[in-house]
Amino acid sequence: ARLMRETLSEKDVRLLSAIDPKGVRELRTEIARQLRLLRGIACEPRQVIVGAGTEYLIGLIYQLLGKHSYAFESPGYTKAAKIYSHLGANLSFLPTDSQGISVDVLRQNADIDVVQVTPSHSFPLGVVTSVERRRELIAWVGEQDGHYIIEDDFDSEFRYSGGSFPSLFSLDHSDRVIYMNTFTRTLAPSMRIGYM
């Protein structure tokens, strides 16, 4: 409460002014710093886009990438797939095993351009994608122009044992991995803050 009163009194004019469409610069700077420290992601604040939750960011991604064939983990978190479906995307659901999404099946579906994965903690099985499978995904994205990976790094902040695996974004050298996460678990779901 004290910090809120301080902020409101010290930054009252700025709080009522228009901000950068990507989000508040200080927040994007801190997100970039945290990503570098915790996930090995080298990015600049200008690359970070803050939005009102995952749904909003998915809409932006669809506007940027366009109508493609999108693949998702099965079983997996279906909310994103439903949003893409409503936007007009063609959907495929690819099986997962103990190492993550099947890249062999992904390669067999030549029409798939975009794959959305949750490598740090897939839902509902809780599978963590192996480093080898992450490298296979990165190889797939580099095989053809127009391939993209959307890395939903859900729950990556919570590691109860061992270190975390590298993010797909940090392994990518073709600039075709879009990293996204939210503050749903670390702050509160009601805040509706996501970033990519």
Side-chain angles (χ1 to χ4, degrees):
R2 181 181 57 78
L3 290 173
M4 190 179 297
R5 282 192 304 273
E6 250 176 58
T7 301
L8 290 172
S9 65
E10 292 173 10
K11 300 185 187 288
D12 57 342
V13 174
R14 188 154 175 244
L15 289 171
L16 299 174
S17 303
I19 61 166
D20 187 316
K22 293 186 215 172
V24 176
R25 173 119 178 119
E26 291 90 345
L27 177 58
R28 291 184 293 120
T29 299
E30 188 59 27
I31 288 170
R33 189 178 80 76
Q34 289 296 316
L35 288 173
R36 190 172 8 271
L37 290 172
L38 301 175
R39 300 298 291 132
I41 293 175
C43 68
E44 299 298 322
R46 64 180 170 75
Q47 293 175 274
V48 177
I49 298 172
V50 177
T54 302
E55 295 84 357
Y56 173 75
L57 296 175
I58 287 171
L60 288 180
I61 290 170
Y62 188 78
Q63 289 176 45
L64 291 169
L65 299 182
K67 187 173 183 175
H68 287 288
S69 292
Y70 290 72
F72 299 89
E73 299 161 321
S74 179
Y77 182 65
T78 59
K79 188 175 189 179
K82 288 176 185 173
I83 296 168
Y84 284 111
S85 176
H86 288 302
L87 293 170
N90 300 317
L91 305 183
S92 297
F93 296 90
L94 306 182
T96 59
D97 58 26
S98 63
Q99 294 188 60
I101 195 166
S102 173
V103 179
D104 291 338
V105 175
L106 177 61
R107 283 194 171 100
Q108 292 168 12
N109 290 274
D111 60 323
I112 295 173
D113 304 302
V114 182
V115 61
Q116 180 155 337
V117 292
T118 53
S120 291
H121 183 197
S122 71
F123 178 85
L125 302 178
V127 171
V128 176
T129 303
S130 69
V131 173
E132 183 174 318
R133 189 66 55 87
R134 289 169 194 249
R135 287 193 177 112
E136 290 175 19
L137 279 165
I138 294 301
W140 172 84
V141 82
E143 289 171 2
Q144 183 177 322
D145 286 343
H147 280 180
Y148 292 92
I149 296 172
I150 301 165
E151 177 181 15
D152 184 348
D153 210 19
F154 172 74
D155 263 1
S156 64
E157 301 87 358
F158 300 105
R159 302 296 312 156
Y160 301 108
S161 63
S164 62
F165 288 139
S167 70
L168 292 168
F169 188 95
S170 68
L171 296 173
D172 176 39
H173 299 293
S174 61
D175 290 330
R176 287 199 249 142
V177 173
I178 299 169
Y179 177 93
M180 62 189 304
N181 205 339
T182 69
F183 295 111
T184 300
R185 298 274 193 189
T186 53
L187 293 178
S190 59
M191 294 185 82
R192 307 289 307 142
I193 301 174
Y195 59 93
M196 67 178 179

mmCIF file of all heavy atoms in Angstrom, residues 57-73:
data_model
loop_
_atom_site.group_PDB
_atom_site.id
_atom_site.type_symbol
_atom_site.label_atom_id
_atom_site.label_comp_id
_atom_site.label_asym_id
_atom_site.label_seq_id
_atom_site.Cartn_x
_atom_site.Cartn_y
_atom_site.Cartn_z
ATOM 1 N N LEU A 57 -1.865 -11.736 -26.604
ATOM 2 C CA LEU A 57 -0.608 -11.983 -27.303
ATOM 3 C C LEU A 57 -0.786 -12.968 -28.454
ATOM 4 O O LEU A 57 -0.174 -12.822 -29.513
ATOM 5 C CB LEU A 57 0.458 -12.478 -26.317
ATOM 6 C CG LEU A 57 0.852 -11.474 -25.232
ATOM 7 C CD1 LEU A 57 1.810 -12.113 -24.250
ATOM 8 C CD2 LEU A 57 1.443 -10.213 -25.821
ATOM 9 N N ILE A 58 -1.635 -13.975 -28.268
ATOM 10 C CA ILE A 58 -1.916 -14.924 -29.348
ATOM 11 C C ILE A 58 -2.528 -14.196 -30.538
ATOM 12 O O ILE A 58 -2.179 -14.460 -31.691
ATOM 13 C CB ILE A 58 -2.821 -16.075 -28.846
ATOM 14 C CG1 ILE A 58 -2.015 -17.008 -27.945
ATOM 15 C CG2 ILE A 58 -3.436 -16.841 -30.018
ATOM 16 C CD1 ILE A 58 -2.845 -18.055 -27.233
ATOM 17 N N GLY A 59 -3.419 -13.259 -30.261
ATOM 18 C CA GLY A 59 -3.995 -12.459 -31.341
ATOM 19 C C GLY A 59 -2.937 -11.684 -32.100
ATOM 20 O O GLY A 59 -2.960 -11.607 -33.332
ATOM 21 N N LEU A 60 -1.968 -11.120 -31.381
ATOM 22 C CA LEU A 60 -0.868 -10.399 -32.037
ATOM 23 C C LEU A 60 -0.009 -11.336 -32.880
ATOM 24 O O LEU A 60 0.380 -11.005 -34.004
ATOM 25 C CB LEU A 60 0.009 -9.697 -30.998
ATOM 26 C CG LEU A 60 -0.555 -8.479 -30.301
ATOM 27 C CD1 LEU A 60 0.472 -7.926 -29.308
ATOM 28 C CD2 LEU A 60 -0.950 -7.405 -31.292
ATOM 29 N N ILE A 61 0.293 -12.505 -32.315
ATOM 30 C CA ILE A 61 1.108 -13.477 -33.052
ATOM 31 C C ILE A 61 0.408 -13.875 -34.345
ATOM 32 O O ILE A 61 1.017 -13.925 -35.415
ATOM 33 C CB ILE A 61 1.415 -14.719 -32.179
ATOM 34 C CG1 ILE A 61 2.387 -14.345 -31.063
ATOM 35 C CG2 ILE A 61 1.987 -15.858 -33.029
ATOM 36 C CD1 ILE A 61 2.565 -15.418 -30.006
ATOM 37 N N TYR A 62 -0.888 -14.124 -34.263
ATOM 38 C CA TYR A 62 -1.642 -14.513 -35.460
ATOM 39 C C TYR A 62 -1.630 -13.384 -36.495
ATOM 40 O O TYR A 62 -1.498 -13.637 -37.695
ATOM 41 C CB TYR A 62 -3.080 -14.896 -35.094
ATOM 42 C CG TYR A 62 -3.827 -15.479 -36.261
ATOM 43 C CD1 TYR A 62 -3.615 -16.795 -36.648
ATOM 44 C CD2 TYR A 62 -4.725 -14.716 -36.989
ATOM 45 C CE1 TYR A 62 -4.281 -17.338 -37.732
ATOM 46 C CE2 TYR A 62 -5.399 -15.248 -38.067
ATOM 47 C CZ TYR A 62 -5.178 -16.556 -38.440
ATOM 48 O OH TYR A 62 -5.841 -17.075 -39.514
ATOM 49 N N GLN A 63 -1.742 -12.145 -36.054
ATOM 50 C CA GLN A 63 -1.671 -11.020 -36.980
ATOM 51 C C GLN A 63 -0.301 -10.937 -37.646
ATOM 52 O O GLN A 63 -0.193 -10.610 -38.829
ATOM 53 C CB GLN A 63 -1.969 -9.710 -36.255
ATOM 54 C CG GLN A 63 -3.418 -9.549 -35.849
ATOM 55 C CD GLN A 63 -3.633 -8.279 -35.055
ATOM 56 O OE1 GLN A 63 -3.132 -7.213 -35.412
ATOM 57 N NE2 GLN A 63 -4.371 -8.383 -33.963
ATOM 58 N N LEU A 64 0.750 -11.241 -36.883
ATOM 59 C CA LEU A 64 2.113 -11.176 -37.431
ATOM 60 C C LEU A 64 2.412 -12.330 -38.389
ATOM 61 O O LEU A 64 2.992 -12.130 -39.451
ATOM 62 C CB LEU A 64 3.139 -11.191 -36.290
ATOM 63 C CG LEU A 64 3.186 -9.947 -35.416
ATOM 64 C CD1 LEU A 64 4.040 -10.200 -34.179
ATOM 65 C CD2 LEU A 64 3.730 -8.762 -36.201
ATOM 66 N N LEU A 65 2.025 -13.547 -38.005
ATOM 67 C CA LEU A 65 2.371 -14.723 -38.803
ATOM 68 C C LEU A 65 1.340 -15.030 -39.883
ATOM 69 O O LEU A 65 1.669 -15.638 -40.892
ATOM 70 C CB LEU A 65 2.556 -15.948 -37.896
ATOM 71 C CG LEU A 65 3.659 -15.865 -36.850
ATOM 72 C CD1 LEU A 65 3.737 -17.169 -36.070
ATOM 73 C CD2 LEU A 65 4.996 -15.525 -37.487
ATOM 74 N N GLY A 66 0.096 -14.676 -39.647
ATOM 75 C CA GLY A 66 -0.949 -14.914 -40.629
ATOM 76 C C GLY A 66 -1.552 -16.297 -40.533
ATOM 77 O O GLY A 66 -1.264 -17.079 -39.632
ATOM 78 N N LYS A 67 -2.397 -16.574 -41.520
ATOM 79 C CA LYS A 67 -3.136 -17.841 -41.541
ATOM 80 C C LYS A 67 -2.207 -18.946 -42.021
ATOM 81 O O LYS A 67 -1.852 -19.021 -43.184
ATOM 82 C CB LYS A 67 -4.352 -17.732 -42.447
ATOM 83 C CG LYS A 67 -5.243 -18.941 -42.374
ATOM 84 C CD LYS A 67 -6.515 -18.743 -43.152
ATOM 85 C CE LYS A 67 -7.401 -19.963 -42.967
ATOM 86 N NZ LYS A 67 -8.694 -19.779 -43.591
ATOM 87 N N HIS A 68 -1.820 -19.789 -41.099
ATOM 88 C CA HIS A 68 -0.939 -20.925 -41.359
ATOM 89 C C HIS A 68 -1.565 -22.162 -40.738
ATOM 90 O O HIS A 68 -2.618 -22.108 -40.129
ATOM 91 C CB HIS A 68 0.445 -20.708 -40.720
ATOM 92 C CG HIS A 68 1.290 -19.696 -41.410
ATOM 93 N ND1 HIS A 68 1.868 -19.913 -42.633
ATOM 94 C CD2 HIS A 68 1.675 -18.456 -41.036
ATOM 95 C CE1 HIS A 68 2.571 -18.855 -42.984
ATOM 96 N NE2 HIS A 68 2.470 -17.953 -42.031
ATOM 97 N N SER A 69 -0.856 -23.261 -40.856
ATOM 98 C CA SER A 69 -1.218 -24.477 -40.133
ATOM 99 C C SER A 69 -0.419 -24.489 -38.836
ATOM 100 O O SER A 69 0.809 -24.439 -38.857
ATOM 101 C CB SER A 69 -0.886 -25.713 -40.966
ATOM 102 O OG SER A 69 -1.724 -25.769 -42.087
ATOM 103 N N TYR A 70 -1.125 -24.532 -37.733
ATOM 104 C CA TYR A 70 -0.527 -24.479 -36.402
ATOM 105 C C TYR A 70 -0.646 -25.850 -35.746
ATOM 106 O O TYR A 70 -1.703 -26.479 -35.814
ATOM 107 C CB TYR A 70 -1.245 -23.448 -35.521
ATOM 108 C CG TYR A 70 -1.011 -22.011 -35.929
ATOM 109 C CD1 TYR A 70 -1.584 -21.484 -37.079
ATOM 110 C CD2 TYR A 70 -0.227 -21.178 -35.157
ATOM 111 C CE1 TYR A 70 -1.373 -20.163 -37.448
ATOM 112 C CE2 TYR A 70 -0.012 -19.850 -35.516
ATOM 113 C CZ TYR A 70 -0.593 -19.351 -36.662
ATOM 114 O OH TYR A 70 -0.374 -18.039 -37.016
ATOM 115 N N ALA A 71 0.427 -26.304 -35.112
ATOM 116 C CA ALA A 71 0.423 -27.593 -34.422
ATOM 117 C C ALA A 71 0.546 -27.369 -32.918
ATOM 118 O O ALA A 71 1.202 -26.422 -32.468
ATOM 119 C CB ALA A 71 1.567 -28.470 -34.910
ATOM 120 N N PHE A 72 -0.069 -28.292 -32.173
ATOM 121 C CA PHE A 72 -0.078 -28.216 -30.716
ATOM 122 C C PHE A 72 0.196 -29.589 -30.133
ATOM 123 O O PHE A 72 -0.029 -30.606 -30.781
ATOM 124 C CB PHE A 72 -1.450 -27.723 -30.217
ATOM 125 C CG PHE A 72 -1.781 -26.358 -30.724
ATOM 126 C CD1 PHE A 72 -2.433 -26.200 -31.930
ATOM 127 C CD2 PHE A 72 -1.417 -25.230 -30.018
ATOM 128 C CE1 PHE A 72 -2.721 -24.947 -32.431
ATOM 129 C CE2 PHE A 72 -1.698 -23.971 -30.504
ATOM 130 C CZ PHE A 72 -2.359 -23.822 -31.707
ATOM 131 N N GLU A 73 0.653 -29.613 -28.888
ATOM 132 C CA GLU A 73 0.910 -30.858 -28.167
ATOM 133 C C GLU A 73 -0.406 -31.557 -27.838
ATOM 134 O O GLU A 73 -1.398 -30.895 -27.524
ATOM 135 C CB GLU A 73 1.649 -30.561 -26.863
ATOM 136 C CG GLU A 73 2.996 -29.912 -27.055
ATOM 137 C CD GLU A 73 3.507 -29.221 -25.802
ATOM 138 O OE1 GLU A 73 2.707 -28.594 -25.069
ATOM 139 O OE2 GLU A 73 4.721 -29.296 -25.562
#
